[in-house]
Amino acid sequence: YSWFRTPLWKREIDMFLDGANAERMGELLRENSNTSQIIMISLKNAMTKYANSLFGVTLNRQTGCTEVFTKSFEEGYPA
């Protein structure tokens, strides 16, 4: 019998961080992802490069429909 921790939701916590500090925050979240599920919304490459999976939402201008895409990485986002 195992228990799962509640996911940790973070929404644009890196908004006011410069690149170096966003990088540090990404490293910290990556370290904690071994014991917790972390779901974060970010637009900074410094944060997304530590992700195991990325999910994107975009508007298709031709059809006017929203499209969702996913990408998984074995060893994190390629630098």
Side-chain angles (χ1 to χ4, degrees):
Y1 199 79
S2 64
W3 294 91
F4 295 99
R5 289 186 169 182
T6 304
L8 177 64
W9 291 81
K10 296 293 180 187
R11 184 176 182 267
E12 296 183 38
I13 59 172
D14 60 340
M15 183 180 348
F16 297 107
L17 299 178
D18 63 359
N21 286 314
E23 186 92 18
R24 288 186 192 109
M25 178 65 75
E27 290 172 2
L28 179 67
L29 292 173
R30 180 66 166 185
E31 289 172 11
N32 288 309
S33 71
N34 294 329
T35 58
S36 299
Q37 180 182 15
I38 300 171
I39 300 169
M40 183 176 170
I41 298 170
S42 179
L43 297 175
K44 294 193 178 207
N45 286 339
M47 295 295 284
T48 59
K49 77 180 199 177
Y50 293 100
N52 291 329
S53 301
L54 294 177
F55 297 84
V57 179
T58 187
L59 177 66
N60 184 323
R61 293 182 188 256
Q62 293 176 342
T63 63
C65 296
T66 302
E67 295 178 353
V68 177
F69 60 91
T70 63
K71 179 69 178 169
S72 294
F73 307 102
E74 298 235 353
E75 292 296 323
Y77 187 76

